[in-house]
């Protein structure tokens, strides 16, 4: 990877949060709603990691996925 590609990628990563907030605001979703959704997603991810560490090995998330598919 050359320096120019690296620099463009780095600038895109830096610009992603404000661009995404602006796009969501234009779509009608307020910043507080976005924070609520991200917090919910983060909480679910943390619960899955806790569940995996407490009860299962590597196949734990697959078992949870199969269980969820049976419920839907």
């Amino acid at each position: 990877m050359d320096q120019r590609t690296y620099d463009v990628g780095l600038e895109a990563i830096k610009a992603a949060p404000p661009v995404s907030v602006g796009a969501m605001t234009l779509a009608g979703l307020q910043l507080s709603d976005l924070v609520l959704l991200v917090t919910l997603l983060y909480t679910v991810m943390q619960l899955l990691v806790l569940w995996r560490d407490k009860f299962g090995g590597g196949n734990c998330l697959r078992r949870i996925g199969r269980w969820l598919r049976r419920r839907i």
Side-chain angles (χ1 to χ4, degrees), residues 12-62:
I13 290 171
K14 288 180 183 179
V19 169
S20 61
V21 168
M24 298 292 265
T25 301
L26 288 175
L29 190 64
Q30 297 299 320
L31 183 59
S32 60
D33 296 335
L34 178 64
V35 170
L36 180 67
L37 290 173
V38 170
T39 303
L40 179 65
L41 177 66
Y42 180 76
T43 303
V44 168
M45 289 171 40
Q46 288 298 315
L47 286 171
L48 288 174
V49 169
L50 176 68
W51 182 278
R52 182 198 62 196
D53 291 346
K54 186 80 172 167
F55 296 113
N59 294 330
C60 183
L61 293 178
R62 250 182 268 143

